[in-house]
Amino acid sequence: MTTTCEDNNLNNADSETFSISNYRRDSSHCFYQNRVIQPLLTDLYQITMAYAYWKSGKTHDVAVFDLFFRNNPFHGEFTIFAGLEECLKFLKNFHYSVGDINYLKTVLPDGVEEEFFEYLGKLTAKEVTVYALDEGSVAFPRVPLIKLEGPLIIVQLLETTLLTLVNYASLMATNAARYRIVAGPVVKLLEFGLRRAQGPDGGLSSSKYAYIGGFDGTSNVLAGKLFNIPVKGTHAHAYITSFSGFDELTNKELPHNHSGITADLLELSIEHRRNLSSVLHISTAEANDGELAAMVSFAIAFPNGFMALVDTYDVKRCFVKRRFSVQNTLNHLYERENGKLLDLNHNCVDNVDISYPFIKRVGNSLRSGILNFCSVALALNDQGYKPVGIRIDSGDLAYLSCLARQSFVKIAEDYDLPWFADLTIVASNDINEETILSLNEQGHKIDCFGIGTHLVTCQKQPALGCVYKLVEINNQPRIKLSQDVDKVTMPGKKTAFRLYGTEGWAVIDILQKDDEEPPQVGKKVLCRHPFHESKRAFVTPARVETLYKVWWKDGAIRQPIPTLEDVRNRVQESLQTLRHDHLRHLNPTPYKVAVSDNLYNFLHDLWLQNQPIGELS
Ligand SMILES: Nc1ncnc2c1ncn2[C@@H]1O[C@H](COP(=O)(O)OP(=O)(O)OP(=O)(O)O)[C@@H](O)[C@H]1O
Ligand SMILES: O=P(O)(O)OC[C@H]1O[C@H](OP(=O)(O)OP(=O)(O)O)[C@H](O)[C@@H]1O
Ligand SMILES: O=C(O)c1cccnc1
Ligand SMILES: [Mg+2]
């Protein structure tokens, strides 16, 4: 990609100041925008339509388009609106460069007139007005996220790019918000998806919108730099497996955090391992020396942030093919081996009252990893440092996290180190919403989930389905009819309000014609289902929220652009206005979206006018 000034309005100073050459930075406090977001990032048909509009003298036509979605994703009943800041930056920079025009000349047929290219070369989004919800707001089907008004040709040319900026952003933010809901407010959520994302841009966008949706950080370093998101991480299995024994440790020394007196961390760890063996009932023969060497070396590199992956070596006792774990009400773990129920010390406890049994393959038992980690952690403590915790990346995460926590608690008591009980347990491995719900049900001791594939690929539903529809041209409403009622567009220039009840919950969103009086607090509003005549309700709002703000007008951004942090907070505030039954995972209650009586009649009159009357033969 070139970065010349001619290319897409770029300011040379900007591109020189910032080393990330594929990103440009706005003069406002907006963060970088990927240079790939430019007017040619569109479908060819927008350009061919522009030419045909131009040829038919439609250059002065004024159009209104609505950008909206028809169904909430992930079988849910809410969507988080995201991507607005990117849309505004796109509008601000909207301009075809000489290079773009030259390229279009090679793509469009020979007969396309030169004057059209001259016209195209002068286009900007200056005459467009954009109304939108606040980024980070909860949004519902049919209520436009963005409304655009301006010259038909220009507003048409914006369609695809705006859709690509809003669709994935909103889907991703919604997905992340759903993970936050099932995980609860305390557990940390880290996005680990870059390696599995839909390409580099998918990877960057997912990190950004996962953060907006409620994640606490990302492993994606560039996302951290570009968007100022906290970057976090542990290490991979490769680090552990790269060491096979103690003799590979070239540096074993670690100076004491306060006194500076150096000690051999390996020696200290081996000594602790010997003692811990009886505390944790794990034989040192079960612990892998390469793993201990790897952990010691990582601890020397990061004595203040020691975090270790503990599931590399599977040391299941050889006769156990399948292990079933069960849990009683006291949250003590037991395991079943060859038909016998054993406690963690392997005593037979077949008489225990099991009120919540569950069955799951246990996988790696962590015995090597836990023993080695705890040994290094105690050695670090000797040297005045506090380790951070462990990551578990396979096996039964509920069972193993409880097992790990029990070990930590035991050490905290036996060594009189209370903080040891609270070491962080991170869990990863193909986690999705359902896994978290299931883990919650089973009981677990996980402090942090690292989530990649399911989050960033939005595996449960890979597209939101936002559309961009013409609703008015030259003050005349337009309607798109369909056999499928859900696909009939809501004609005309409209506005929308969110009505709140006395308890503070959002009750309904109402769409009405632009020229209608807004609903008033304490005054009954007739809310109608857009398509079912008999579905009507009166709502007396305790609060009325105007949903749209003017974001772009006369060539300028008209509102302060919120920071990523503001948008992230907005998501949580907005979700808190929804009743819990709208947010629940299984069969949530649909949130109502209504039209005013006026809009209802207008829509149905226009529908009848536009629907040809069939003839039966
Ligand atoms: N207690 C649990 N309840 C429900 N699902 C779980 C539980 N523990 C782990 N899982 C999920 O079960 C799946 C286990 O996947 P899989 O069998 O491929 O992993 P594994 O064999 O344990 O690990 P690996 O193949 O990486 O060694 C993962 O999606 C994980 O998130
Ligand atoms: O499971 P996800 O939700 O996608 O989270 C990201 C995964 O990426 C890493 O695995 P890695 O690439 O090393 O491969 P693995 O899955 O085979 O362990 C990490 O150990 C996680 O398991
Ligand atoms: O830091 C980690 O633990 C990490 C990063 C990316 C993918 N999986 C794990
Ligand atoms: Mg994995």
Side-chain angles (χ1 to χ4, degrees), residues 602-616:
F602 178 69
L603 158 70
H604 288 269
D605 287 350
L606 202 69
W607 192 336
L608 289 182
Q609 278 169 32
N610 280 272
Q611 179 88 56
I613 305 176
E615 267 185 42
L616 300 177

PDB file of all heavy atoms in Angstrom, residues 602-616:
ATOM      1  N   PHE A 602     -48.853   5.502   8.397  1.00  0.00           N
ATOM      2  CA  PHE A 602     -48.041   5.948   7.252  1.00  0.00           C
ATOM      3  C   PHE A 602     -47.421   4.737   6.541  1.00  0.00           C
ATOM      4  O   PHE A 602     -47.505   4.592   5.324  1.00  0.00           O
ATOM      5  CB  PHE A 602     -46.958   6.874   7.816  1.00  0.00           C
ATOM      6  CG  PHE A 602     -45.990   7.412   6.812  1.00  0.00           C
ATOM      7  CD1 PHE A 602     -46.395   8.333   5.861  1.00  0.00           C
ATOM      8  CD2 PHE A 602     -44.656   7.016   6.843  1.00  0.00           C
ATOM      9  CE1 PHE A 602     -45.476   8.847   4.951  1.00  0.00           C
ATOM     10  CE2 PHE A 602     -43.740   7.520   5.941  1.00  0.00           C
ATOM     11  CZ  PHE A 602     -44.159   8.442   4.988  1.00  0.00           C
ATOM     12  N   LEU A 603     -46.845   3.846   7.338  1.00  0.00           N
ATOM     13  CA  LEU A 603     -46.197   2.647   6.792  1.00  0.00           C
ATOM     14  C   LEU A 603     -47.198   1.773   6.047  1.00  0.00           C
ATOM     15  O   LEU A 603     -46.948   1.338   4.913  1.00  0.00           O
ATOM     16  CB  LEU A 603     -45.563   1.867   7.959  1.00  0.00           C
ATOM     17  CG  LEU A 603     -45.277   0.379   7.802  1.00  0.00           C
ATOM     18  CD1 LEU A 603     -44.133   0.159   6.823  1.00  0.00           C
ATOM     19  CD2 LEU A 603     -44.895  -0.237   9.150  1.00  0.00           C
ATOM     20  N   HIS A 604     -48.363   1.578   6.665  1.00  0.00           N
ATOM     21  CA  HIS A 604     -49.312   0.648   6.049  1.00  0.00           C
ATOM     22  C   HIS A 604     -50.023   1.258   4.849  1.00  0.00           C
ATOM     23  O   HIS A 604     -50.302   0.552   3.868  1.00  0.00           O
ATOM     24  CB  HIS A 604     -50.275   0.107   7.110  1.00  0.00           C
ATOM     25  CG  HIS A 604     -49.569  -0.865   8.017  1.00  0.00           C
ATOM     26  ND1 HIS A 604     -49.523  -2.205   7.779  1.00  0.00           N
ATOM     27  CD2 HIS A 604     -48.792  -0.652   9.121  1.00  0.00           C
ATOM     28  CE1 HIS A 604     -48.777  -2.794   8.711  1.00  0.00           C
ATOM     29  NE2 HIS A 604     -48.327  -1.858   9.539  1.00  0.00           N
ATOM     30  N   ASP A 605     -50.245   2.580   4.864  1.00  0.00           N
ATOM     31  CA  ASP A 605     -50.826   3.247   3.679  1.00  0.00           C
ATOM     32  C   ASP A 605     -49.867   3.109   2.505  1.00  0.00           C
ATOM     33  O   ASP A 605     -50.245   2.763   1.392  1.00  0.00           O
ATOM     34  CB  ASP A 605     -51.072   4.741   3.945  1.00  0.00           C
ATOM     35  CG  ASP A 605     -52.263   4.929   4.886  1.00  0.00           C
ATOM     36  OD1 ASP A 605     -52.967   3.922   5.139  1.00  0.00           O
ATOM     37  OD2 ASP A 605     -52.459   6.063   5.380  1.00  0.00           O
ATOM     38  N   LEU A 606     -48.587   3.383   2.796  1.00  0.00           N
ATOM     39  CA  LEU A 606     -47.580   3.338   1.728  1.00  0.00           C
ATOM     40  C   LEU A 606     -47.415   1.907   1.194  1.00  0.00           C
ATOM     41  O   LEU A 606     -47.232   1.682   0.002  1.00  0.00           O
ATOM     42  CB  LEU A 606     -46.246   3.845   2.287  1.00  0.00           C
ATOM     43  CG  LEU A 606     -45.253   4.352   1.266  1.00  0.00           C
ATOM     44  CD1 LEU A 606     -45.712   5.647   0.631  1.00  0.00           C
ATOM     45  CD2 LEU A 606     -43.893   4.577   1.947  1.00  0.00           C
ATOM     46  N   TRP A 607     -47.517   0.976   2.106  1.00  0.00           N
ATOM     47  CA  TRP A 607     -47.406  -0.445   1.743  1.00  0.00           C
ATOM     48  C   TRP A 607     -48.502  -0.782   0.720  1.00  0.00           C
ATOM     49  O   TRP A 607     -48.239  -1.357  -0.340  1.00  0.00           O
ATOM     50  CB  TRP A 607     -47.571  -1.282   3.023  1.00  0.00           C
ATOM     51  CG  TRP A 607     -47.209  -2.722   2.913  1.00  0.00           C
ATOM     52  CD1 TRP A 607     -47.188  -3.486   1.789  1.00  0.00           C
ATOM     53  CD2 TRP A 607     -46.827  -3.570   3.993  1.00  0.00           C
ATOM     54  NE1 TRP A 607     -46.817  -4.761   2.096  1.00  0.00           N
ATOM     55  CE2 TRP A 607     -46.587  -4.845   3.456  1.00  0.00           C
ATOM     56  CE3 TRP A 607     -46.677  -3.385   5.365  1.00  0.00           C
ATOM     57  CZ2 TRP A 607     -46.199  -5.936   4.238  1.00  0.00           C
ATOM     58  CZ3 TRP A 607     -46.301  -4.464   6.142  1.00  0.00           C
ATOM     59  CH2 TRP A 607     -46.053  -5.722   5.586  1.00  0.00           C
ATOM     60  N   LEU A 608     -49.739  -0.379   1.064  1.00  0.00           N
ATOM     61  CA  LEU A 608     -50.861  -0.679   0.161  1.00  0.00           C
ATOM     62  C   LEU A 608     -50.688   0.025  -1.185  1.00  0.00           C
ATOM     63  O   LEU A 608     -50.935  -0.553  -2.242  1.00  0.00           O
ATOM     64  CB  LEU A 608     -52.184  -0.269   0.809  1.00  0.00           C
ATOM     65  CG  LEU A 608     -52.625  -1.147   1.988  1.00  0.00           C
ATOM     66  CD1 LEU A 608     -53.965  -0.689   2.544  1.00  0.00           C
ATOM     67  CD2 LEU A 608     -52.714  -2.620   1.574  1.00  0.00           C
ATOM     68  N   GLN A 609     -50.227   1.282  -1.119  1.00  0.00           N
ATOM     69  CA  GLN A 609     -50.022   2.042  -2.379  1.00  0.00           C
ATOM     70  C   GLN A 609     -49.003   1.359  -3.280  1.00  0.00           C
ATOM     71  O   GLN A 609     -49.108   1.395  -4.495  1.00  0.00           O
ATOM     72  CB  GLN A 609     -49.472   3.432  -2.069  1.00  0.00           C
ATOM     73  CG  GLN A 609     -50.502   4.460  -1.664  1.00  0.00           C
ATOM     74  CD  GLN A 609     -49.779   5.709  -1.133  1.00  0.00           C
ATOM     75  OE1 GLN A 609     -48.687   6.052  -1.580  1.00  0.00           O
ATOM     76  NE2 GLN A 609     -50.396   6.368  -0.174  1.00  0.00           N
ATOM     77  N   ASN A 610     -47.979   0.764  -2.658  1.00  0.00           N
ATOM     78  CA  ASN A 610     -46.874   0.214  -3.446  1.00  0.00           C
ATOM     79  C   ASN A 610     -47.060  -1.258  -3.820  1.00  0.00           C
ATOM     80  O   ASN A 610     -46.383  -1.748  -4.707  1.00  0.00           O
ATOM     81  CB  ASN A 610     -45.557   0.367  -2.693  1.00  0.00           C
ATOM     82  CG  ASN A 610     -45.011   1.768  -2.821  1.00  0.00           C
ATOM     83  OD1 ASN A 610     -44.292   2.086  -3.759  1.00  0.00           O
ATOM     84  ND2 ASN A 610     -45.399   2.623  -1.893  1.00  0.00           N
ATOM     85  N   GLN A 611     -47.955  -1.919  -3.104  1.00  0.00           N
ATOM     86  CA  GLN A 611     -48.133  -3.360  -3.366  1.00  0.00           C
ATOM     87  C   GLN A 611     -49.127  -3.527  -4.517  1.00  0.00           C
ATOM     88  O   GLN A 611     -50.298  -3.178  -4.379  1.00  0.00           O
ATOM     89  CB  GLN A 611     -48.691  -4.036  -2.109  1.00  0.00           C
ATOM     90  CG  GLN A 611     -48.949  -5.513  -2.251  1.00  0.00           C
ATOM     91  CD  GLN A 611     -47.705  -6.349  -1.924  1.00  0.00           C
ATOM     92  OE1 GLN A 611     -47.163  -6.228  -0.840  1.00  0.00           O
ATOM     93  NE2 GLN A 611     -47.292  -7.139  -2.888  1.00  0.00           N
ATOM     94  N   PRO A 612     -48.689  -4.053  -5.649  1.00  0.00           N
ATOM     95  CA  PRO A 612     -49.639  -4.237  -6.753  1.00  0.00           C
ATOM     96  C   PRO A 612     -50.736  -5.226  -6.343  1.00  0.00           C
ATOM     97  O   PRO A 612     -50.491  -6.141  -5.546  1.00  0.00           O
ATOM     98  CB  PRO A 612     -48.774  -4.836  -7.875  1.00  0.00           C
ATOM     99  CG  PRO A 612     -47.378  -4.731  -7.422  1.00  0.00           C
ATOM    100  CD  PRO A 612     -47.373  -4.565  -5.950  1.00  0.00           C
ATOM    101  N   ILE A 613     -51.951  -5.004  -6.868  1.00  0.00           N
ATOM    102  CA  ILE A 613     -53.047  -5.932  -6.556  1.00  0.00           C
ATOM    103  C   ILE A 613     -52.996  -7.072  -7.570  1.00  0.00           C
ATOM    104  O   ILE A 613     -53.009  -6.852  -8.784  1.00  0.00           O
ATOM    105  CB  ILE A 613     -54.415  -5.223  -6.632  1.00  0.00           C
ATOM    106  CG1 ILE A 613     -54.403  -3.982  -5.706  1.00  0.00           C
ATOM    107  CG2 ILE A 613     -55.551  -6.181  -6.279  1.00  0.00           C
ATOM    108  CD1 ILE A 613     -55.661  -3.151  -5.753  1.00  0.00           C
ATOM    109  N   GLY A 614     -52.892  -8.281  -7.070  1.00  0.00           N
ATOM    110  CA  GLY A 614     -52.794  -9.440  -7.964  1.00  0.00           C
ATOM    111  C   GLY A 614     -54.135  -9.772  -8.597  1.00  0.00           C
ATOM    112  O   GLY A 614     -55.187  -9.258  -8.193  1.00  0.00           O
ATOM    113  N   GLU A 615     -54.093 -10.571  -9.623  1.00  0.00           N
ATOM    114  CA  GLU A 615     -55.324 -11.039 -10.276  1.00  0.00           C
ATOM    115  C   GLU A 615     -55.343 -12.548 -10.245  1.00  0.00           C
ATOM    116  O   GLU A 615     -54.327 -13.193 -10.513  1.00  0.00           O
ATOM    117  CB  GLU A 615     -55.358 -10.564 -11.727  1.00  0.00           C
ATOM    118  CG  GLU A 615     -56.075  -9.250 -11.894  1.00  0.00           C
ATOM    119  CD  GLU A 615     -56.210  -8.839 -13.359  1.00  0.00           C
ATOM    120  OE1 GLU A 615     -56.518  -9.717 -14.186  1.00  0.00           O
ATOM    121  OE2 GLU A 615     -55.964  -7.648 -13.635  1.00  0.00           O
ATOM    122  N   LEU A 616     -56.473 -13.117  -9.894  1.00  0.00           N
ATOM    123  CA  LEU A 616     -56.575 -14.576  -9.884  1.00  0.00           C
ATOM    124  C   LEU A 616     -57.211 -15.035 -11.187  1.00  0.00           C
ATOM    125  O   LEU A 616     -58.101 -14.372 -11.713  1.00  0.00           O
ATOM    126  CB  LEU A 616     -57.445 -15.030  -8.707  1.00  0.00           C
ATOM    127  CG  LEU A 616     -56.937 -14.641  -7.319  1.00  0.00           C
ATOM    128  CD1 LEU A 616     -57.924 -15.090  -6.253  1.00  0.00           C
ATOM    129  CD2 LEU A 616     -55.565 -15.294  -7.074  1.00  0.00           C
TER     130      LEU A 616
END
